[in-house]
Amino acid sequence: MTDVRTGDPGQWQRKRVFIRTYGCQMNVYDSDRMADVLRPLGYALSDSPEQADLVVLNTCHIREKASEKVYSELGRLRDAKLERRREGSDLTIAVAGCVAQAEGAEIIRRQPAVDIVVGPQAYHRLPELLAQVARKAAERQAGGRRQPGAGVLDTEFPAESKFDHLPAPGGVRAGSAFLSIQEGCDKFCTFCVVPYTRGAEYSRPAASVLQEARALVAAGAVEITLLGQNVNAYHGEAADGATWSLARLIREMAEVDGLLRIRYMTSHPRDMDDELIEAHGTVPQLMPYLHLPVQSGSDRILEAMNRGHGRDHFRCLVDRLREVRPDLALSSDFIVGFPGESDGDFDDTMRLIDEVGLAAAFSFKYSRRPGTPGAALPDQLPEAVKMARLAALQALIGRQQREFNVSKVGATVPVLFAEPGRKPGQVLGKSPWLQSVYVEGGAAMIGKIADVRLVAAHALSLAGEIPPSLEAAA
Ligand code: 5AD
Ligand code: SF4
């Protein structure tokens, strides 16, 4: 294998990388950034591991199932690697993301076929890691036997931020782009691995965020979603030395010509300050949809989760947000079966959902994560209890989601079209409330916003029509 930094481009331009992304939007963003880092080394993206020279698993450690999936995938990749070697070629295997950060060298011990383990703060060093792998491969070819555990590892949290090193993203898809502005978390919810795998909270300087926002708009973005593990804890340094809040950043972004939609995720109820609530009423580009995870509706469980607020705080936030933006739709995250959760606690969660009304939600059975305080708590609940509660909660959310969709039938709303629909001759897009809307139309509409009359609601999508008077504009 050529040294990827100094080799002949003609030789390595043909390389292909397959990146499999598990987990959250932050990982989707990071996978794009890894592709950006690898491109100058001659790696083109591949659609399948079979055609790739390098496979990167960008992993998620948030629930047990997510990490176990990684090891079964690694078993399959090891077989593929052995097969390649028999044929005289090779396959480089890299594990990135939160499992890489949490388990580090243990991954190489469990699966010696792994060449690289790289934590989420070290992606800018991928070229150097690949060069190390190439050197080891050269040694092996020269006759030295490769010992198990010879993979290279980089899970340092560097003093400098990776944002300073990663290339600017070019990732505008159908008018939409993600922009990562904040990483890590200092909140230490007792169920969650993120503070351990992603490290301390860090906000990116405001000027570099604005510069990237302008570049994304220039590249065709009409919608930008600001990303962060705790995005509303954002406190980025501005050029004049002041600290900008998320609200301030949003107001400044709203000044960028051509940027029509701004969203942010994921936020924490504790960081919904007055200024940010007000922005929902005053910044028209800020979409009327907020993902605000509450996890539980029981004060006792919220306390045990170390969430730092009670159910009344959440209810009050929702009331205040709807006061300034009456059409605001809410989504949230829930965990059922946290240790010690009683029937009464679970009822409190169901009542909270009833009271606030949701347009969508993600819900999970509590998953015991090694090293988190929750894992050591007594009164871990049986799987059957968790399953029954999850089913009841999901049924309630499903009803609310359908009701929300039905409530919009008859309205004419702007839809940003993103992709071809399921049936030929249809295009699919997103309403301001992130509902999937499909209409009759062609690929020319993708990346554009058009006014659509919503005519029918289903559980997960809405059918729309472009009114004849507006068809020409679309
Ligand atoms: N078990 C179940 N769900 C979890 N989440 C985080 N940690 C756990 C866990 N240990 C959920 C939370 C969070 C979402 C991203 O994942 O609801 O908001
Ligand atoms: Fe995890 Fe809590 Fe931090 Fe969210 S706020 S990332 S749930 S520790």
Side-chain angles (χ1 to χ4, degrees), residues 116-420:
I116 295 174
V117 175
V118 56
Q121 303 306 323
Y123 296 153
H124 54 290
R125 291 200 291 257
L126 265 172
E128 171 55 28
L129 298 171
L130 281 164
Q132 286 180 33
V133 171
R135 280 197 293 275
K136 287 187 183 205
E139 281 164 26
R140 193 183 55 245
Q141 273 169 11
R145 275 187 62 81
R146 184 168 188 228
Q147 299 303 316
V152 293
L153 177 77
D154 191 344
T155 52
E156 292 293 304
F157 286 133
E160 79 281 21
S161 159
K162 71 174 175 189
F163 290 124
D164 300 334
H165 297 278
L166 290 173
V172 181
R173 287 197 191 103
S176 236
F178 291 103
L179 202 174
S180 179
I181 64 168
Q182 185 274 339
E183 277 249 0
C185 177
D186 295 334
K187 295 222 164 40
F188 291 93
C189 299
T190 54
F191 51 81
C192 184
V193 290
V194 166
Y196 311 96
T197 57
R198 292 270 173 172
E201 199 182 311
Y202 170 84
S203 293
R204 198 171 158 184
S208 99
V209 173
L210 280 178
Q211 192 185 14
E212 191 170 318
R214 286 191 202 100
L216 289 168
V217 172
V222 291
E223 173 179 86
I224 291 181
T225 303
L226 300 172
L227 287 182
Q229 245 97 37
N230 255 272
V231 74
N232 58 341
Y234 179 81
H235 55 281
E237 198 184 315
D240 59 2
T243 300
W244 282 15
S245 61
L246 179 63
R248 174 76 195 270
L249 186 66
I250 288 171
R251 290 200 303 270
E252 300 287 338
M253 283 189 44
E255 300 294 316
V256 176
D257 244 359
L259 181 57
L260 307 176
R261 292 181 165 197
I262 302 172
R263 303 178 185 276
Y264 62 92
M265 71 183 286
T266 286
S267 41
H268 194 295
R270 257 162 71 189
D271 296 315
M272 288 305 300
D273 58 20
D274 295 348
E275 203 191 351
L276 186 54
I277 294 174
E278 193 188 312
H280 278 275
T282 53
V283 179
Q285 292 95 329
L286 189 53
M287 288 291 98
Y289 181 92
L290 177 62
H291 182 63
L292 189 60
V294 64
Q295 316 295 355
S296 168
S298 151
D299 280 337
R300 218 172 59 82
I301 296 297
L302 286 169
E303 165 107 49
M305 287 176 162
N306 190 33
R307 293 287 292 175
H309 69 86
R311 66 177 277 140
D312 283 351
H313 175 74
F314 184 77
R315 284 222 43 191
C316 175
L317 282 178
V318 174
D319 289 348
R320 290 180 58 205
L321 281 158
R322 287 193 172 138
E323 221 164 84
V324 298
R325 186 80 211 224
D327 65 342
L328 185 101
L330 260 194
S331 87
S332 196
D333 287 349
F334 294 93
I335 296 178
V336 299
F338 186 79
E341 184 188 69
S342 66
D343 285 339
D345 293 321
F346 178 64
D347 287 347
D348 284 347
T349 301
M350 296 290 273
R351 276 194 298 114
L352 181 68
I353 297 171
D354 249 339
E355 286 162 16
V356 294
L358 296 173
F362 298 100
S363 48
F364 313 98
K365 290 181 284 187
Y366 171 70
S367 170
R368 195 173 183 175
R369 307 309 290 128
T372 60
L377 288 175
D379 207 3
Q380 301 280 333
L381 298 190
E383 182 65 16
V385 171
K386 294 185 196 174
M387 274 172 64
R389 287 183 186 165
L390 187 69
L393 188 143
Q394 288 185 339
L396 173 59
I397 305 269
R399 284 198 297 279
Q400 289 198 343
Q401 185 161 19
R402 180 178 267 276
E403 273 164 31
F404 177 71
N405 286 347
V406 167
S407 77
K408 296 290 179 197
V409 171
T412 299
V413 306
V415 171
L416 171 57
F417 289 99
E419 57 189 324

Side-chain angles (χ1 to χ4, degrees), residues 427-458:
V427 270
L428 191 67
K430 293 285 183 206
S431 78
W433 305 279
L434 274 188
Q435 296 153 300
S436 293
V437 176
Y438 61 90
V439 303
E440 308 264 306
M445 291 167 68
I446 291 174
K448 303 208 174 83
I449 295 180
D451 279 331
V452 170
R453 201 165 66 84
L454 302 175
V455 294
H458 314 290

